[in-house]
Amino acid sequence: MKKVHPLYLTVDSRGAYIHVKDNMFEIIIRSGVTEQKRLFAPSKITTLSIGQGAALSGAAAELALKYNIDIIFLDSFEHPVGRVWFPGLGSTTKIRKAQLLASVNLEGLRIAAQWLKAKTEGRLDFIVRLKKHRPEKRRLIDESVSILKDGIEKFGNFDPKLHDDPQGVLRGMEGSQGRIYFSLLGQLIPSDFKFEGRSMRPAKDHFNAFLNYSYGVLYGKIEKALIIAGIDPYLGFLHRDDYNMLSMVYDFVEPFRVYCEEAVFKLFSQKKAALKHADKILDGFQLNKEGKMLLLEELTKVFTENKQKYRNRSQAVDNIIRLEAHATAMRLLKLEFNPSDFEYIFTSDMTESI
């Protein structure tokens, strides 16, 4: 059993049992002849996450719903597979209403631009650190540094009102920055693994095979954090809302991609990643079991063991993701919208389909 945050309680110990005692949650964990008990006031909790090994009584579920506590059921990988919440208007409903409003006016794009700015800042910091140990590549790195700095300024000053197609402009800026960045990384890794840029479904080289799998791990972490924070993972601001597409996951993930990129780059630069770790498939490569184990070991260090500075405190990246998701939910709740913000919906081609 672990208390993750004063507002978020996760119970994942095998054999744990959650029931009600004196109008409080009592969690009982039995291990052999020993028994551990803890009480939690429902007024202190906003989310109760239940792992596969734990059990929840009907009375505990009723108490949670009475206090508008979201109940989330997790699979063996601690990914959310189901959710129960009170049917009345609570914080989750308000958050998703604000999220929907932001997605159909320009505020959502402003938020997306800030996430892209944060992503570019993280990548800039990464390649500047790479320069310290690669004096022979200094000129090459400096050229990319200059371009990324320019991108940071553009994302920071981005005003969607100034563009006829603000989404297209933002995607174009993101694409050009990404091409420069990955082109540089492709020239900095050991010569046996040099690559020309990003490739997906399938990866065209070993580096992208590692990177694609690491992104998949990260997407799961992002989706879980968004759901717990009350944010709809399918309702994005920049990425398309196609059927069954985790649009908000792909928007919100942007500042955190660099942790995967640095982890993968480290495996190659330290020559831990090898040809044997990816198998040739039709038109590309994919990680095999040995490659996945190597990568997951490194990602565990990155996300749970290594600490990063966040708001003047050292935090694990997993915690930072969760805290940022909660901060985004709070930001959405504070947004104020005017009817005029939505006039373009009823003056565009969308009118015919409404």
mmCIF file of all heavy atoms in Angstrom, residues 37-81:
data_model
loop_
_atom_site.group_PDB
_atom_site.id
_atom_site.type_symbol
_atom_site.label_atom_id
_atom_site.label_comp_id
_atom_site.label_asym_id
_atom_site.label_seq_id
_atom_site.Cartn_x
_atom_site.Cartn_y
_atom_site.Cartn_z
ATOM 1 N N LYS A 37 -3.204 -2.005 9.693
ATOM 2 C CA LYS A 37 -4.431 -1.255 9.448
ATOM 3 C C LYS A 37 -4.126 0.238 9.397
ATOM 4 O O LYS A 37 -3.303 0.732 10.159
ATOM 5 C CB LYS A 37 -5.457 -1.516 10.555
ATOM 6 C CG LYS A 37 -5.928 -2.947 10.658
ATOM 7 C CD LYS A 37 -6.963 -3.090 11.762
ATOM 8 C CE LYS A 37 -7.474 -4.519 11.874
ATOM 9 N NZ LYS A 37 -8.492 -4.652 12.950
ATOM 10 N N ARG A 38 -4.838 0.931 8.479
ATOM 11 C CA ARG A 38 -4.706 2.393 8.404
ATOM 12 C C ARG A 38 -6.057 3.001 8.080
ATOM 13 O O ARG A 38 -6.837 2.439 7.305
ATOM 14 C CB ARG A 38 -3.680 2.805 7.350
ATOM 15 C CG ARG A 38 -2.244 2.464 7.716
ATOM 16 C CD ARG A 38 -1.260 3.036 6.728
ATOM 17 N NE ARG A 38 -1.258 4.480 6.723
ATOM 18 C CZ ARG A 38 -0.474 5.229 5.945
ATOM 19 N NH1 ARG A 38 0.342 4.627 5.105
ATOM 20 N NH2 ARG A 38 -0.517 6.533 5.993
ATOM 21 N N LEU A 39 -6.308 4.155 8.664
ATOM 22 C CA LEU A 39 -7.561 4.877 8.430
ATOM 23 C C LEU A 39 -7.297 6.125 7.598
ATOM 24 O O LEU A 39 -6.288 6.811 7.781
ATOM 25 C CB LEU A 39 -8.206 5.276 9.762
ATOM 26 C CG LEU A 39 -8.808 4.150 10.600
ATOM 27 C CD1 LEU A 39 -9.195 4.681 11.972
ATOM 28 C CD2 LEU A 39 -10.028 3.562 9.900
ATOM 29 N N PHE A 40 -8.244 6.428 6.686
ATOM 30 C CA PHE A 40 -8.150 7.619 5.853
ATOM 31 C C PHE A 40 -9.498 8.317 5.827
ATOM 32 O O PHE A 40 -10.535 7.685 5.599
ATOM 33 C CB PHE A 40 -7.733 7.268 4.419
ATOM 34 C CG PHE A 40 -6.345 6.714 4.294
ATOM 35 C CD1 PHE A 40 -6.124 5.350 4.400
ATOM 36 C CD2 PHE A 40 -5.264 7.562 4.093
ATOM 37 C CE1 PHE A 40 -4.848 4.829 4.289
ATOM 38 C CE2 PHE A 40 -3.978 7.052 3.978
ATOM 39 C CZ PHE A 40 -3.763 5.678 4.078
ATOM 40 N N ALA A 41 -9.476 9.613 6.067
ATOM 41 C CA ALA A 41 -10.715 10.395 6.018
ATOM 42 C C ALA A 41 -11.114 10.625 4.566
ATOM 43 O O ALA A 41 -10.284 11.068 3.754
ATOM 44 C CB ALA A 41 -10.526 11.730 6.725
ATOM 45 N N PRO A 42 -12.345 10.355 4.188
ATOM 46 C CA PRO A 42 -12.764 10.537 2.787
ATOM 47 C C PRO A 42 -12.676 11.985 2.327
ATOM 48 O O PRO A 42 -12.483 12.242 1.133
ATOM 49 C CB PRO A 42 -14.208 10.025 2.783
ATOM 50 C CG PRO A 42 -14.653 10.077 4.200
ATOM 51 C CD PRO A 42 -13.431 9.814 5.027
ATOM 52 N N SER A 43 -12.787 12.919 3.236
ATOM 53 C CA SER A 43 -12.720 14.338 2.858
ATOM 54 C C SER A 43 -11.340 14.741 2.363
ATOM 55 O O SER A 43 -11.176 15.799 1.747
ATOM 56 C CB SER A 43 -13.116 15.216 4.044
ATOM 57 O OG SER A 43 -12.240 14.993 5.139
ATOM 58 N N LYS A 44 -10.331 13.914 2.625
ATOM 59 C CA LYS A 44 -8.956 14.229 2.221
ATOM 60 C C LYS A 44 -8.585 13.626 0.868
ATOM 61 O O LYS A 44 -7.484 13.846 0.372
ATOM 62 C CB LYS A 44 -7.974 13.703 3.277
ATOM 63 C CG LYS A 44 -8.184 14.222 4.682
ATOM 64 C CD LYS A 44 -7.833 15.691 4.797
ATOM 65 C CE LYS A 44 -7.919 16.157 6.254
ATOM 66 N NZ LYS A 44 -7.598 17.598 6.380
ATOM 67 N N ILE A 45 -9.475 12.859 0.275
ATOM 68 C CA ILE A 45 -9.143 12.084 -0.922
ATOM 69 C C ILE A 45 -10.000 12.533 -2.104
ATOM 70 O O ILE A 45 -11.199 12.778 -1.948
ATOM 71 C CB ILE A 45 -9.369 10.574 -0.672
ATOM 72 C CG1 ILE A 45 -8.512 10.097 0.507
ATOM 73 C CG2 ILE A 45 -9.044 9.747 -1.913
ATOM 74 C CD1 ILE A 45 -8.856 8.693 0.968
ATOM 75 N N THR A 46 -9.395 12.637 -3.268
ATOM 76 C CA THR A 46 -10.153 12.922 -4.491
ATOM 77 C C THR A 46 -10.189 11.716 -5.434
ATOM 78 O O THR A 46 -11.106 11.574 -6.230
ATOM 79 C CB THR A 46 -9.562 14.113 -5.269
ATOM 80 O OG1 THR A 46 -8.213 13.820 -5.606
ATOM 81 C CG2 THR A 46 -9.618 15.377 -4.450
ATOM 82 N N THR A 47 -9.164 10.847 -5.351
ATOM 83 C CA THR A 47 -9.101 9.682 -6.230
ATOM 84 C C THR A 47 -8.629 8.466 -5.440
ATOM 85 O O THR A 47 -7.659 8.548 -4.695
ATOM 86 C CB THR A 47 -8.138 9.919 -7.412
ATOM 87 O OG1 THR A 47 -8.591 11.032 -8.174
ATOM 88 C CG2 THR A 47 -8.081 8.695 -8.317
ATOM 89 N N LEU A 48 -9.316 7.355 -5.628
ATOM 90 C CA LEU A 48 -8.951 6.092 -4.996
ATOM 91 C C LEU A 48 -8.658 5.082 -6.095
ATOM 92 O O LEU A 48 -9.558 4.679 -6.831
ATOM 93 C CB LEU A 48 -10.094 5.598 -4.099
ATOM 94 C CG LEU A 48 -9.916 4.252 -3.397
ATOM 95 C CD1 LEU A 48 -8.689 4.286 -2.483
ATOM 96 C CD2 LEU A 48 -11.163 3.880 -2.615
ATOM 97 N N SER A 49 -7.390 4.708 -6.247
ATOM 98 C CA SER A 49 -6.975 3.763 -7.290
ATOM 99 C C SER A 49 -6.781 2.384 -6.680
ATOM 100 O O SER A 49 -6.096 2.241 -5.660
ATOM 101 C CB SER A 49 -5.689 4.233 -7.962
ATOM 102 O OG SER A 49 -5.880 5.484 -8.599
ATOM 103 N N ILE A 50 -7.370 1.365 -7.317
ATOM 104 C CA ILE A 50 -7.369 0.006 -6.787
ATOM 105 C C ILE A 50 -6.572 -0.907 -7.717
ATOM 106 O O ILE A 50 -6.910 -1.049 -8.892
ATOM 107 C CB ILE A 50 -8.797 -0.551 -6.646
ATOM 108 C CG1 ILE A 50 -9.715 0.474 -5.954
ATOM 109 C CG2 ILE A 50 -8.773 -1.873 -5.901
ATOM 110 C CD1 ILE A 50 -9.334 0.782 -4.542
ATOM 111 N N GLY A 51 -5.503 -1.521 -7.191
ATOM 112 C CA GLY A 51 -4.719 -2.460 -7.971
ATOM 113 C C GLY A 51 -5.377 -3.822 -8.029
ATOM 114 O O GLY A 51 -6.353 -4.103 -7.320
ATOM 115 N N GLN A 52 -4.813 -4.717 -8.859
ATOM 116 C CA GLN A 52 -5.420 -6.032 -9.073
ATOM 117 C C GLN A 52 -5.480 -6.874 -7.803
ATOM 118 O O GLN A 52 -6.385 -7.679 -7.629
ATOM 119 C CB GLN A 52 -4.645 -6.788 -10.147
ATOM 120 C CG GLN A 52 -5.005 -6.381 -11.562
ATOM 121 C CD GLN A 52 -4.450 -7.351 -12.576
ATOM 122 O OE1 GLN A 52 -3.452 -8.023 -12.343
ATOM 123 N NE2 GLN A 52 -5.094 -7.440 -13.730
ATOM 124 N N GLY A 53 -4.522 -6.699 -6.911
ATOM 125 C CA GLY A 53 -4.464 -7.540 -5.725
ATOM 126 C C GLY A 53 -5.317 -7.065 -4.569
ATOM 127 O O GLY A 53 -5.380 -7.716 -3.525
ATOM 128 N N ALA A 54 -5.991 -5.931 -4.707
ATOM 129 C CA ALA A 54 -6.773 -5.347 -3.612
ATOM 130 C C ALA A 54 -8.265 -5.583 -3.825
ATOM 131 O O ALA A 54 -8.720 -5.809 -4.944
ATOM 132 C CB ALA A 54 -6.475 -3.853 -3.496
ATOM 133 N N ALA A 55 -9.019 -5.480 -2.725
ATOM 134 C CA ALA A 55 -10.477 -5.669 -2.779
ATOM 135 C C ALA A 55 -11.154 -4.472 -2.127
ATOM 136 O O ALA A 55 -10.640 -3.886 -1.167
ATOM 137 C CB ALA A 55 -10.871 -6.957 -2.065
ATOM 138 N N LEU A 56 -12.331 -4.120 -2.644
ATOM 139 C CA LEU A 56 -13.088 -2.958 -2.178
ATOM 140 C C LEU A 56 -14.491 -3.396 -1.780
ATOM 141 O O LEU A 56 -15.181 -4.047 -2.579
ATOM 142 C CB LEU A 56 -13.155 -1.906 -3.294
ATOM 143 C CG LEU A 56 -13.936 -0.627 -3.027
ATOM 144 C CD1 LEU A 56 -13.171 0.280 -2.074
ATOM 145 C CD2 LEU A 56 -14.192 0.113 -4.345
ATOM 146 N N SER A 57 -14.931 -3.052 -0.572
ATOM 147 C CA SER A 57 -16.277 -3.425 -0.149
ATOM 148 C C SER A 57 -17.302 -2.498 -0.779
ATOM 149 O O SER A 57 -16.992 -1.382 -1.208
ATOM 150 C CB SER A 57 -16.385 -3.359 1.375
ATOM 151 O OG SER A 57 -16.423 -2.008 1.814
ATOM 152 N N GLY A 58 -18.552 -2.967 -0.836
ATOM 153 C CA GLY A 58 -19.622 -2.139 -1.368
ATOM 154 C C GLY A 58 -19.813 -0.878 -0.554
ATOM 155 O O GLY A 58 -20.079 0.198 -1.098
ATOM 156 N N ALA A 59 -19.662 -0.980 0.778
ATOM 157 C CA ALA A 59 -19.810 0.195 1.637
ATOM 158 C C ALA A 59 -18.723 1.225 1.360
ATOM 159 O O ALA A 59 -18.976 2.433 1.379
ATOM 160 C CB ALA A 59 -19.777 -0.235 3.105
ATOM 161 N N ALA A 60 -17.504 0.738 1.079
ATOM 162 C CA ALA A 60 -16.408 1.660 0.767
ATOM 163 C C ALA A 60 -16.660 2.367 -0.552
ATOM 164 O O ALA A 60 -16.385 3.563 -0.708
ATOM 165 C CB ALA A 60 -15.084 0.900 0.725
ATOM 166 N N ALA A 61 -17.206 1.624 -1.535
ATOM 167 C CA ALA A 61 -17.538 2.246 -2.817
ATOM 168 C C ALA A 61 -18.618 3.303 -2.635
ATOM 169 O O ALA A 61 -18.547 4.398 -3.208
ATOM 170 C CB ALA A 61 -18.003 1.175 -3.802
ATOM 171 N N GLU A 62 -19.615 2.999 -1.806
ATOM 172 C CA GLU A 62 -20.689 3.958 -1.552
ATOM 173 C C GLU A 62 -20.153 5.214 -0.858
ATOM 174 O O GLU A 62 -20.537 6.334 -1.206
ATOM 175 C CB GLU A 62 -21.765 3.314 -0.686
ATOM 176 C CG GLU A 62 -22.948 4.227 -0.403
ATOM 177 C CD GLU A 62 -23.997 3.556 0.467
ATOM 178 O OE1 GLU A 62 -23.875 2.352 0.743
ATOM 179 O OE2 GLU A 62 -24.943 4.268 0.876
ATOM 180 N N LEU A 63 -19.235 5.036 0.105
ATOM 181 C CA LEU A 63 -18.648 6.181 0.800
ATOM 182 C C LEU A 63 -17.848 7.048 -0.167
ATOM 183 O O LEU A 63 -17.896 8.282 -0.111
ATOM 184 C CB LEU A 63 -17.749 5.697 1.941
ATOM 185 C CG LEU A 63 -17.086 6.784 2.796
ATOM 186 C CD1 LEU A 63 -18.140 7.601 3.545
ATOM 187 C CD2 LEU A 63 -16.084 6.167 3.769
ATOM 188 N N ALA A 64 -17.111 6.399 -1.068
ATOM 189 C CA ALA A 64 -16.322 7.145 -2.050
ATOM 190 C C ALA A 64 -17.228 7.988 -2.946
ATOM 191 O O ALA A 64 -16.959 9.167 -3.197
ATOM 192 C CB ALA A 64 -15.492 6.180 -2.896
ATOM 193 N N LEU A 65 -18.311 7.405 -3.423
ATOM 194 C CA LEU A 65 -19.222 8.129 -4.299
ATOM 195 C C LEU A 65 -19.922 9.258 -3.542
ATOM 196 O O LEU A 65 -20.185 10.323 -4.103
ATOM 197 C CB LEU A 65 -20.247 7.165 -4.896
ATOM 198 C CG LEU A 65 -19.661 6.084 -5.816
ATOM 199 C CD1 LEU A 65 -20.748 5.129 -6.285
ATOM 200 C CD2 LEU A 65 -18.946 6.704 -7.005
ATOM 201 N N LYS A 66 -20.223 9.021 -2.272
ATOM 202 C CA LYS A 66 -20.862 10.048 -1.453
ATOM 203 C C LYS A 66 -19.997 11.290 -1.353
ATOM 204 O O LYS A 66 -20.496 12.416 -1.343
ATOM 205 C CB LYS A 66 -21.149 9.491 -0.056
ATOM 206 C CG LYS A 66 -21.768 10.480 0.920
ATOM 207 C CD LYS A 66 -21.987 9.845 2.274
ATOM 208 C CE LYS A 66 -22.536 10.857 3.286
ATOM 209 N NZ LYS A 66 -22.722 10.231 4.629
ATOM 210 N N TYR A 67 -18.670 11.088 -1.302
ATOM 211 C CA TYR A 67 -17.730 12.210 -1.195
ATOM 212 C C TYR A 67 -17.158 12.609 -2.559
ATOM 213 O O TYR A 67 -16.167 13.329 -2.634
ATOM 214 C CB TYR A 67 -16.589 11.849 -0.235
ATOM 215 C CG TYR A 67 -16.964 12.005 1.220
ATOM 216 C CD1 TYR A 67 -17.621 10.991 1.905
ATOM 217 C CD2 TYR A 67 -16.672 13.185 1.913
ATOM 218 C CE1 TYR A 67 -17.981 11.124 3.241
ATOM 219 C CE2 TYR A 67 -17.019 13.326 3.249
ATOM 220 C CZ TYR A 67 -17.669 12.303 3.906
ATOM 221 O OH TYR A 67 -18.017 12.457 5.233
ATOM 222 N N ASN A 68 -17.797 12.141 -3.623
ATOM 223 C CA ASN A 68 -17.378 12.485 -4.986
ATOM 224 C C ASN A 68 -15.915 12.100 -5.243
ATOM 225 O O ASN A 68 -15.150 12.829 -5.864
ATOM 226 C CB ASN A 68 -17.573 13.983 -5.255
ATOM 227 C CG ASN A 68 -17.527 14.307 -6.744
ATOM 228 O OD1 ASN A 68 -17.832 13.457 -7.570
ATOM 229 N ND2 ASN A 68 -17.135 15.521 -7.068
ATOM 230 N N ILE A 69 -15.536 10.933 -4.728
ATOM 231 C CA ILE A 69 -14.191 10.399 -4.939
ATOM 232 C C ILE A 69 -14.219 9.468 -6.149
ATOM 233 O O ILE A 69 -15.019 8.532 -6.204
ATOM 234 C CB ILE A 69 -13.699 9.620 -3.699
ATOM 235 C CG1 ILE A 69 -13.613 10.549 -2.482
ATOM 236 C CG2 ILE A 69 -12.344 8.971 -3.967
ATOM 237 C CD1 ILE A 69 -13.349 9.809 -1.177
ATOM 238 N N ASP A 70 -13.359 9.724 -7.119
ATOM 239 C CA ASP A 70 -13.261 8.848 -8.285
ATOM 240 C C ASP A 70 -12.612 7.529 -7.877
ATOM 241 O O ASP A 70 -11.590 7.518 -7.181
ATOM 242 C CB ASP A 70 -12.427 9.492 -9.388
ATOM 243 C CG ASP A 70 -13.130 10.669 -10.030
ATOM 244 O OD1 ASP A 70 -14.352 10.772 -9.857
ATOM 245 O OD2 ASP A 70 -12.453 11.472 -10.681
ATOM 246 N N ILE A 71 -13.193 6.415 -8.310
ATOM 247 C CA ILE A 71 -12.616 5.098 -8.074
ATOM 248 C C ILE A 71 -12.054 4.597 -9.396
ATOM 249 O O ILE A 71 -12.780 4.484 -10.386
ATOM 250 C CB ILE A 71 -13.669 4.103 -7.551
ATOM 251 C CG1 ILE A 71 -14.336 4.649 -6.280
ATOM 252 C CG2 ILE A 71 -13.027 2.743 -7.275
ATOM 253 C CD1 ILE A 71 -15.507 3.811 -5.814
ATOM 254 N N ILE A 72 -10.755 4.322 -9.419
ATOM 255 C CA ILE A 72 -10.087 3.883 -10.649
ATOM 256 C C ILE A 72 -9.507 2.492 -10.433
ATOM 257 O O ILE A 72 -8.825 2.241 -9.435
ATOM 258 C CB ILE A 72 -8.971 4.871 -11.050
ATOM 259 C CG1 ILE A 72 -9.579 6.239 -11.362
ATOM 260 C CG2 ILE A 72 -8.186 4.347 -12.247
ATOM 261 C CD1 ILE A 72 -8.562 7.306 -11.667
ATOM 262 N N PHE A 73 -9.797 1.574 -11.344
ATOM 263 C CA PHE A 73 -9.281 0.219 -11.273
ATOM 264 C C PHE A 73 -8.078 0.091 -12.212
ATOM 265 O O PHE A 73 -8.131 0.503 -13.379
ATOM 266 C CB PHE A 73 -10.371 -0.778 -11.637
ATOM 267 C CG PHE A 73 -11.528 -0.773 -10.670
ATOM 268 C CD1 PHE A 73 -12.663 -0.030 -10.949
ATOM 269 C CD2 PHE A 73 -11.453 -1.476 -9.484
ATOM 270 C CE1 PHE A 73 -13.726 -0.001 -10.049
ATOM 271 C CE2 PHE A 73 -12.505 -1.452 -8.580
ATOM 272 C CZ PHE A 73 -13.640 -0.713 -8.855
ATOM 273 N N LEU A 74 -6.983 -0.490 -11.695
ATOM 274 C CA LEU A 74 -5.722 -0.575 -12.426
ATOM 275 C C LEU A 74 -5.430 -2.019 -12.825
ATOM 276 O O LEU A 74 -5.798 -2.960 -12.110
ATOM 277 C CB LEU A 74 -4.571 -0.059 -11.566
ATOM 278 C CG LEU A 74 -4.756 1.325 -10.918
ATOM 279 C CD1 LEU A 74 -3.577 1.628 -9.999
ATOM 280 C CD2 LEU A 74 -4.900 2.404 -11.982
ATOM 281 N N ASP A 75 -4.730 -2.184 -13.973
ATOM 282 C CA ASP A 75 -4.301 -3.519 -14.365
ATOM 283 C C ASP A 75 -2.959 -3.842 -13.721
ATOM 284 O O ASP A 75 -2.465 -3.096 -12.866
ATOM 285 C CB ASP A 75 -4.247 -3.654 -15.892
ATOM 286 C CG ASP A 75 -3.214 -2.741 -16.536
ATOM 287 O OD1 ASP A 75 -2.351 -2.191 -15.817
ATOM 288 O OD2 ASP A 75 -3.259 -2.574 -17.772
ATOM 289 N N SER A 76 -2.340 -4.944 -14.123
ATOM 290 C CA SER A 76 -1.085 -5.377 -13.500
ATOM 291 C C SER A 76 0.061 -4.419 -13.765
ATOM 292 O O SER A 76 1.079 -4.456 -13.061
ATOM 293 C CB SER A 76 -0.712 -6.778 -13.990
ATOM 294 O OG SER A 76 -0.588 -6.806 -15.404
ATOM 295 N N PHE A 77 -0.089 -3.555 -14.780
ATOM 296 C CA PHE A 77 0.943 -2.566 -15.080
ATOM 297 C C PHE A 77 0.592 -1.199 -14.484
ATOM 298 O O PHE A 77 1.224 -0.204 -14.795
ATOM 299 C CB PHE A 77 1.135 -2.432 -16.599
ATOM 300 C CG PHE A 77 1.592 -3.693 -17.262
ATOM 301 C CD1 PHE A 77 0.693 -4.510 -17.923
ATOM 302 C CD2 PHE A 77 2.920 -4.081 -17.204
ATOM 303 C CE1 PHE A 77 1.102 -5.687 -18.535
ATOM 304 C CE2 PHE A 77 3.339 -5.252 -17.813
ATOM 305 C CZ PHE A 77 2.433 -6.059 -18.481
ATOM 306 N N GLU A 78 -0.455 -1.176 -13.650
ATOM 307 C CA GLU A 78 -0.955 0.042 -13.013
ATOM 308 C C GLU A 78 -1.513 1.038 -14.028
ATOM 309 O O GLU A 78 -1.510 2.244 -13.803
ATOM 310 C CB GLU A 78 0.119 0.702 -12.138
ATOM 311 C CG GLU A 78 0.508 -0.130 -10.929
ATOM 312 C CD GLU A 78 1.242 0.664 -9.872
ATOM 313 O OE1 GLU A 78 1.658 1.803 -10.155
ATOM 314 O OE2 GLU A 78 1.403 0.141 -8.760
ATOM 315 N N HIS A 79 -2.016 0.527 -15.151
ATOM 316 C CA HIS A 79 -2.708 1.365 -16.126
ATOM 317 C C HIS A 79 -4.207 1.323 -15.821
ATOM 318 O O HIS A 79 -4.742 0.264 -15.471
ATOM 319 C CB HIS A 79 -2.464 0.864 -17.551
ATOM 320 C CG HIS A 79 -1.050 0.993 -17.987
ATOM 321 N ND1 HIS A 79 -0.519 0.250 -19.014
ATOM 322 C CD2 HIS A 79 -0.033 1.765 -17.523
ATOM 323 C CE1 HIS A 79 0.750 0.562 -19.177
ATOM 324 N NE2 HIS A 79 1.064 1.465 -18.288
ATOM 325 N N PRO A 80 -4.908 2.435 -15.928
ATOM 326 C CA PRO A 80 -6.347 2.445 -15.624
ATOM 327 C C PRO A 80 -7.143 1.644 -16.650
ATOM 328 O O PRO A 80 -6.964 1.800 -17.855
ATOM 329 C CB PRO A 80 -6.706 3.934 -15.682
ATOM 330 C CG PRO A 80 -5.640 4.567 -16.520
ATOM 331 C CD PRO A 80 -4.394 3.770 -16.278
ATOM 332 N N VAL A 81 -8.023 0.767 -16.171
ATOM 333 C CA VAL A 81 -8.857 -0.032 -17.064
ATOM 334 C C VAL A 81 -10.339 0.254 -16.850
ATOM 335 O O VAL A 81 -11.182 -0.173 -17.645
ATOM 336 C CB VAL A 81 -8.592 -1.539 -16.867
ATOM 337 C CG1 VAL A 81 -7.203 -1.909 -17.317
ATOM 338 C CG2 VAL A 81 -8.803 -1.948 -15.415
#
